[in-house]
Amino acid sequence: MSLKSKMPLQVWILTLAAFAIGTAEFVIAGILTQVAESLNITEGQAGHLITGYALAIVIGGPILTLWLARYRKRVVLIGLMALFVVSNLITAFATDYTTLMISRIMAGLTQGPFYGIGAVVATQLVSEKMAGQAVGQMFAGLTLANVLGVPGGAWIGNMFGWNITFIVVAILGALAAAAIAIAIPAQGAEAPKSIRSQIGAFSNPQLRASLMITTLGWVGFMTFYGYIAPIAEQVAGFARPSLTWILVIVGLGLVLGNTLGGKTADRNLSAALIGWPAAMIAALIVAGLVASQPYLFVAAAFVFGVVSFANVPPMQMRVMKHGGDAPELAATANISAFNIANALGGIIGGAVVDSSLGAAYIPFAALIVPTIGLAFIIWQERKSPSVPVTA
């Protein structure tokens, strides 16, 4: 198999690792009520496990990526997956909330560095003309995690208990670590770039604005998606086992949205940046209005999946457009921006579901911050200079 014409097996191994990591991040959405009942905590407290994981990515991601980039990449990737496996095994056997939270934070610390360094490894495994495809292939694991990993984890949790879900995730991580050790060739360490020169990219106000757009525009996703289980059970009236196929349907929407978002961003970035957040806000309104009608709710959740994930490519492209001489650090910072939004979404959703308003009001709470974000996007796009995307 020619590395110049086909995607090598090693990139698929990185896809498996990204799938395991993505499943670990989002699977809590499918087993939220089980975790809450098992540990005798509120659903809002269980939702804070999303927040803790996301904040670990936000804070640890850029710092660890800058530090680990100087070491041999294969060794770093194996080490990160080993920490991932240990963290998820601790999660699986946790019997109290504090231990569970600590293990989730430990797992979250692995995500940013793995995606950042793994993306560099992926580009080194293929010809230059396939570098973008290799990175896209690796990150497809994150999308597949929402289509297969999250509903699969929810099904396993419903059948065998939520603890088993994390054991399976740990097994996937162990398989990925072993495959990396066997199949990915050793690569030399690189001299790190000047941290000062990389941080200097953030003097560009449009880069800072791009990161703010990601944060404000993305909060609505995790506010709704992170608490889809209590909405489906308590408002739409579905039995808990039904959550598996509901998550599959929403996950298919995420895949479709990711594809549409990329195409529209290539066609007209500014229009995509404005249009998709507006569509997500509309979808949240509809989801809130039809939440008590089971199958209308599923249809609305599918549409939400499409229009929410369609935001991802335009947001990423805007960051790269204004990343200057530090596109890698800018991209890492954007991962942090997405996870700041995930953390805020977990907090907002948790506050609403534990309040007297209840799960029925989560879709309406979810649209508040993105509405502010949409106004900010329109303001920024009107004054944003035309700058070519950094290669």
Side-chain angles (χ1 to χ4, degrees):
M1 179 167 57
S2 171
L3 295 185
K4 295 184 180 295
S5 60
K6 293 183 179 180
M7 200 62 65
L9 173 64
Q10 292 93 331
V11 177
W12 286 95
I13 291 170
L14 294 173
T15 304
L16 171 63
F19 173 80
I21 293 172
T23 299
E25 178 178 12
F26 294 114
V27 75
I28 199 73
I31 56 177
L32 192 75
T33 52
Q34 297 178 54
V35 173
E37 291 171 2
S38 172
L39 298 182
N40 196 28
I41 58 177
T42 69
E43 290 169 345
Q45 288 176 309
H48 291 162
L49 296 169
I50 297 170
T51 302
Y53 190 105
L55 288 177
I57 299 172
V58 171
I59 298 169
I63 296 172
L64 288 176
T65 300
L66 287 170
W67 176 56
L68 292 171
R70 69 192 67 193
Y71 299 106
R72 295 186 180 274
K73 294 181 175 58
R74 184 181 68 166
V75 174
V76 169
L77 294 180
I78 294 170
L80 288 170
M81 290 310 296
L83 176 59
F84 174 82
V85 171
V86 170
S87 301
N88 280 283
L89 287 176
I90 294 174
T91 300
F93 292 102
T95 56
D96 64 272
Y97 183 64
T98 301
T99 302
L100 190 58
M101 178 64 79
I102 292 171
S103 67
R104 290 288 292 169
I105 292 171
M106 289 171 57
L109 288 173
T110 66
Q111 181 161 319
F114 190 94
Y115 284 174
I117 296 169
V120 174
V121 172
T123 62
Q124 294 175 345
L125 291 167
V126 298
S127 62
E128 186 176 349
K129 67 179 181 180
M130 291 187 65
Q133 295 178 58
V135 174
Q137 174 64 51
M138 175 186 160
F139 278 88
L142 182 60
T143 306
L144 287 173
N146 286 285
V147 181
L148 301 175
V150 174
W155 180 82
I156 291 170
N158 284 320
M159 292 293 294
F160 307 106
W162 66 267
N163 310 78
I164 305 300
T165 297
F166 287 102
I167 292 177
V168 173
V169 169
I171 291 172
L172 287 173
L175 290 173
I180 290 169
I182 294 169
I184 291 183
Q187 293 164 314
E190 298 177 359
K193 295 179 180 178
S194 165
I195 293 178
R196 179 178 295 181
S197 67
Q198 293 187 71
I199 293 176
F202 293 92
S203 63
N204 179 0
Q206 281 300 322
L207 175 56
R208 298 196 301 269
S210 299
L211 296 172
M212 182 62 71
I213 285 171
T214 296
T215 302
L216 295 176
W218 192 247
V219 168
F221 173 76
M222 190 53 75
T223 306
F224 180 81
Y225 185 77
Y227 293 88
I228 196 169
I231 302 172
E233 292 180 31
Q234 299 170 20
V235 186
F238 284 103
R240 187 167 296 174
S242 298
L243 192 62
T244 299
W245 64 262
I246 294 172
L247 288 169
V248 170
I249 291 173
V250 176
L252 291 172
L254 303 184
V255 175
L256 176 58
N258 196 48
T259 301
L260 291 176
K263 291 181 178 179
T264 55
D266 285 337
R267 190 175 302 120
N268 188 324
L269 180 57
S270 183
L273 282 163
I274 295 171
W276 291 118
M280 185 178 73
I281 291 166
L284 285 167
I285 294 172
V286 173
L289 293 174
V290 304
S292 61
Q293 306 297 316
Y295 295 104
L296 287 178
F297 171 72
V298 173
F302 170 78
V303 173
F304 168 80
V306 174
V307 297
S308 62
F309 247 63
N311 282 285
V312 175
M315 289 174 176
Q316 290 176 330
M317 285 184 66
R318 195 183 200 280
V319 167
M320 296 300 292
K321 175 181 176 181
H322 297 288
D325 295 329
E328 295 165 353
L329 182 59
T332 302
N334 204 38
I335 293 174
S336 292
F338 274 115
N339 283 281
I340 289 173
N342 285 343
L344 290 173
I347 292 170
I348 293 169
V352 174
V353 77
D354 281 351
S355 74
S356 59
L357 297 173
Y361 283 83
I362 286 177
F364 301 112
L367 62 85
I368 296 172
V369 177
T371 301
I372 298 170
L374 179 58
F376 182 73
I377 293 168
I378 294 171
W379 176 51
Q380 287 296 323
E381 284 302 297
R382 283 181 176 176
K383 70 174 187 175
S384 174
S386 179
V387 179
V389 176
T390 304

